[in-house]
């Protein structure tokens, strides 16, 4: 039944969509490239069936602002997950794949970068964009290259990268993360963020880490990849294993796993986490570009300077 609803909604959206400009966000915070399905989503994700997805979900920092709310205040101010687009479950030490679309910004010579930001304190929430300099970095990924996009010639190709869940996160807690893209096509600075949370447990569905080339060779996901939960995906999520737990200096909670904890992980960032949370600051008036969501079918590559979203073709 869930599949039928998704297909009907997607067909209705595809008939009314048009080709427009766009930038990017993460569609899937925990992507399974082996089975080509999404196992968890970011905050307030509207789904690709929504014709206003880009307008709702693109969150821009223009001109290197001195201060701006880190998370989109309209869509990502709270943990507003739904049964269709739920939070992902992970465990310490797990390799996580996160996906997005390249939107015409493939760059092999000088790829732009995406950081996964976090705090090892479960009570800490990101408030301001300045925290990109003080938060921990769980991983840094290329945004779009031949080596991490399924079809580099397609301006709307799904791309993805991998990073490791820090081993100092405590099972039984939920932690706040930020997908932060340093696009910087504007000489003054241009960044984008997507906020998400991860529920950390001692067991989860683990996608075995493989070389990126092997995963790309399995083929791109079909149109249903980012359209919400199905019975098949739910059954996959329920198939869990354990890598072991870890304790954190930010919590008195003990690991819920009975297995020996993994060795501690050194953060990618050399900076220490902020000791206290800055108060939420108002969002700047920089507008997001208006657009409609795209499909995952192949199309010729446009000029690298353009971000193109286009309708689904069946």
């Amino acid at each position: 039944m869930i599949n039928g609803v998704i297909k009907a909604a997607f067909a209705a959206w595809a008939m009314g969509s048009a080709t427009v400009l766009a930038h990017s966000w993460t569609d899937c915070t925990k992507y399974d490239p082996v089975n080509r399905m999404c196992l968890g989503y970011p905050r307030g994700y509207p789904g690709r069936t929504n014709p206003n997805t880009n307008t709702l979900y693109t969150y821009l920092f223009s001109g290197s602002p001195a201060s701006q709310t880190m998370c989109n205040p309209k869509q990502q101010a709270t943990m507003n997950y739904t049964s269709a687009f739920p939070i992902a479950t992970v465990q310490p030490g797990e390799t996580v794949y996160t996906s997005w679309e390249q939107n015409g910004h493939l760059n092999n010579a000088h790829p732009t970068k995406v950081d996964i930001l976090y705090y090892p304190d479960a009570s800490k929430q990101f408030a301001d964009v300045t925290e990109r300099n003080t938060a921990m970095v769980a991983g840094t990924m290329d945004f779009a290259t031949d080596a991490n996009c399924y079809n580099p010639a397609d301006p709307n190709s799904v791309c993805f990268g991998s990073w490791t869940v820090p081993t100092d996160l405590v099972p039984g807690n939920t932690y706040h993360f930020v997908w932060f893209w340093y696009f910087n096509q504007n000489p003054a600075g241009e960044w984008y963020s997507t906020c998400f949370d991860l529920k950390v447990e001692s067991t989860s569905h683990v996608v075995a880490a493989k070389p990126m080339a092997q995963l790309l060779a399995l083929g791109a996901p079909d149109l249903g990849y980012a359209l919400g939960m199905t019975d098949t995906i739910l059954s996959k999520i329920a198939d869990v294993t354990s890598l072991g737990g870890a304790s954190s200096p930010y919590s008195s909670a003990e690991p819920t796993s009975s297995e020996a904890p993994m060795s501690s992980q050194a953060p990618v960032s050399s900076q220490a986490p902020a000791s206290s949370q800055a108060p939420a600051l108002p969002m700047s008036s920089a507008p997001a570009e208006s657009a409609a969501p795209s499909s995952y079918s192949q199309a010729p590559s446009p000029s690298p300077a353009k971000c193109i979203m286009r309708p689904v073709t069946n």
Side-chain angles (χ1 to χ4, degrees):
M1 179 177 179
I2 295 177
N3 282 323
V5 171
I6 290 174
K7 289 178 180 178
F10 201 96
W13 164 77
M15 292 177 63
S17 59
T19 300
V20 285
L21 299 179
H23 282 298
S24 198
W25 60 88
T26 177
D27 284 293
C28 184
T29 58
K30 183 175 179 177
Y31 173 53
D32 180 347
V34 175
N35 295 289
R36 289 163 288 180
M37 56 180 59
C38 185
L39 308 181
Y41 292 87
R43 289 183 173 188
Y45 186 70
R48 288 278 176 176
T49 59
N50 190 320
N52 298 313
T53 296
N54 188 71
T55 302
L56 291 170
Y57 222 60
T58 296
Y59 189 56
L60 165 68
F61 302 91
S62 180
S64 303
S67 180
Q68 184 174 321
T69 305
M70 176 65 92
C71 302
N72 184 335
K74 294 181 179 179
Q75 291 294 117
Q76 300 172 7
T78 62
M79 293 176 58
N80 48 348
Y81 297 94
T82 65
S83 58
F85 303 111
I87 187 174
T89 298
V90 299
Q91 59 184 296
E94 178 180 346
T95 296
V96 172
Y97 296 93
T98 297
S99 67
W100 54 88
E101 286 192 4
Q102 63 139 307
N103 291 330
H105 293 299
L106 190 85
N107 190 329
N108 289 308
H110 304 287
T112 56
K113 300 295 182 179
V114 172
D115 280 348
I116 300 294
L117 308 175
Y118 81 102
Y119 285 111
D121 180 353
S123 67
K124 178 74 172 173
Q125 296 283 308
F126 282 87
D128 193 78
V129 68
T130 55
E131 294 175 66
R132 74 190 187 283
N133 297 319
T134 58
M136 308 298 278
V137 179
T140 298
M141 303 168 285
D142 288 340
F143 180 75
T145 69
D146 289 352
N148 74 311
C149 296
Y150 283 105
N151 181 15
D154 180 354
N156 295 112
S157 173
V158 173
C159 307
F160 64 98
S162 67
W163 53 283
T164 302
V165 178
T167 56
D168 56 357
L169 304 190
V170 179
N173 291 321
T174 297
Y175 295 85
H176 192 195
F177 288 77
V178 178
W179 178 94
F180 199 90
W181 176 31
Y182 291 93
F183 176 45
N184 285 338
Q185 181 167 319
N186 179 350
E190 185 173 343
W191 317 319
Y192 295 84
S193 74
T194 305
C195 291
F196 65 100
D197 306 274
L198 292 177
K199 184 179 180 182
V200 177
E201 299 291 356
S202 57
T203 63
S204 62
H205 177 72
V206 176
V207 179
K210 297 178 182 293
M212 187 67 72
Q214 291 184 19
L215 296 174
L216 291 172
L218 296 175
D222 63 22
L223 295 176
Y225 129 84
L227 296 182
M229 289 294 106
T230 65
D231 292 340
T232 299
I233 298 174
L234 290 172
S235 66
K236 183 65 64 176
I237 293 173
D239 179 17
V240 300
T241 56
S242 175
L243 298 174
S247 60
S248 167
Y250 293 90
S251 172
S252 60
E254 294 296 325
T256 57
S257 170
S258 60
E259 298 181 24
M262 299 180 66
S263 59
S264 60
Q265 172 182 316
V268 177
S269 169
S270 61
Q271 297 172 293
S275 60
S276 62
Q277 179 176 345
L281 297 170
M283 183 183 111
S284 77
S285 58
E289 299 179 32
S290 176
S294 67
S295 72
Y296 305 106
S297 58
Q298 297 183 2
S301 177
S303 169
K306 295 182 179 179
C307 310
I308 297 179
M309 303 289 275
R310 65 193 191 294
V312 172
T313 54
N314 293 320

